[in-house]
Amino acid sequence: KAGVTQTPRYLIKTRGQQVTLSCSPISGHRSVSWYQQTPGQGLQFLFEYFSETQRNKGNFPGRFSGRQFSNSRSEMNVSTLELGDSALYLCASSFLSTGLAANNEQFFGPGTRLTVL
Amino acid sequence: DAKTTQPNSMESNEEEPVHLPCNHSTISGTDYIHWYLQLPSQGPEYVIHGLTSNVNNRMASLAIAEDRKSSTLILHRATLRDAAVYYCILRDDGGSQGNLIFGKGTKLSVKP
């Protein structure tokens, strides 16, 4: 079974631009979560989608948005990029969402390394 | 979500067992204890999880204290490939959150 894939793997943008990152979950998984990892803040939850609906959202500004398609693939978008948005963006998929997910594991992709200049 | 406390770093010798501790004194009855590891420049990887009883899988063992206020991830024979950051995370079975809340984790170094 193929794992979680993320594209692109590396991206360089300049301040003020916008960026779209893509995530393809494991086949059959309907929940996709996004995380941001920086050296200073560690791994922080951005949002979770399940069956095309945003279920949970972390404490990030509205410049960060996402969506999920009917095939469970997900995209996240960051508008008006700032230097502080430079990070590793990780996508994770799991079979279940909400509380039932507590007894299930999340499968992470390799991440997209975003550098904002 | 309840919080966890882990040592910032630990060292081990290759081929010796490693015991990674985690304190979660405010754990609720519906919290599952999960462990993930992260190798450099890679996404986190699931290791093991449990609720009340000790758990074993091909990667590791999870020992859960009787009062569930602490747990220990046991790597039976450390290898150089086990050098990673290990995260202990609580997930609420009764909540609506599907996400993982990561702390700083324990950076494990393995000496040959």
Side-chain angles (χ1 to χ4, degrees):
Chain A
K1 191 185 262 191
V4 177
T5 57
Q6 292 187 247
T7 56
R9 292 293 313 279
Y10 302 91
L11 204 50
I12 299 175
K13 292 285 188 178
T14 56
R15 279 182 300 175
Q17 287 186 309
Q18 75 163 11
V19 66
T20 299
L21 312 181
S22 180
C23 171
S24 292
I26 290 172
S27 177
H29 285 190
R30 294 163 63 192
S31 169
V32 173
S33 297
W34 288 89
Y35 297 82
Q36 180 197 65
Q37 185 171 30
T38 59
Q41 299 299 317
L43 271 154
Q44 293 185 288
F45 169 71
L46 280 157
F47 27 66
E48 182 210 4
Y49 287 87
F50 184 82
S51 293
E52 302 178 66
T53 301
Q54 186 180 87
R55 288 294 182 93
N56 298 290
K57 191 176 191 304
N59 189 26
F60 278 81
R63 298 185 298 107
F64 291 82
S65 63
R67 60 178 176 169
Q68 187 180 34
F69 303 95
S70 58
N71 61 0
S72 293
R73 190 178 70 84
S74 177
E75 288 182 346
M76 68 162 283
N77 183 277
V78 187
S79 62
T80 320
L81 283 166
E82 300 176 0
L83 295 178
D85 296 333
S86 294
L88 179 66
Y89 289 89
L90 292 156
C91 165
S93 77
S94 63
F95 182 64
L96 295 172
S97 179
T98 66
L100 293 174
N103 196 20
N104 282 264
E105 60 188 281
Q106 284 200 343
F107 295 83
F108 284 80
T112 294
R113 173 75 62 186
L114 172 65
T115 302
V116 182
L117 302 175
Chain B
D1 289 294
K3 291 190 176 179
T4 62
T5 305
Q6 299 177 253
N8 290 332
S9 62
M10 289 185 65
E11 267 192 1
S12 173
N13 294 316
E14 198 176 10
E15 298 188 5
E16 289 184 356
V18 182
H19 290 235
L20 297 166
C22 180
N23 286 317
H24 28 78
S25 58
T26 59
I27 191 171
S28 74
T30 53
D31 283 333
Y32 281 79
I33 302 160
H34 285 246
W35 284 81
Y36 282 75
L37 67 84
Q38 187 174 24
L39 297 168
S41 302
Q42 295 189 28
E45 177 186 336
Y46 167 82
V47 179
I48 199 167
H49 79 280
L51 183 61
T52 55
S53 305
N54 295 343
V55 184
N56 299 295
N57 65 22
R58 62 175 181 82
M59 291 182 69
S61 295
L62 175 60
I64 301 173
E66 200 168 328
D67 63 5
R68 300 209 327 124
K69 293 187 176 182
S70 65
S71 60
T72 303
L73 178 69
I74 303 166
L75 308 179
H76 296 287
R77 223 166 139 259
T79 69
L80 297 178
R81 289 174 297 178
D82 292 326
V85 178
Y86 288 79
Y87 298 97
C88 171
I89 301 164
L90 300 183
R91 300 190 75 185
D92 184 5
D93 187 27
S96 61
Q97 298 289 327
N99 54 284
L100 298 170
I101 298 178
F102 288 85
K104 298 295 185 185
T106 297
K107 185 174 183 179
L108 175 65
S109 303
V110 180
K111 296 183 290 184

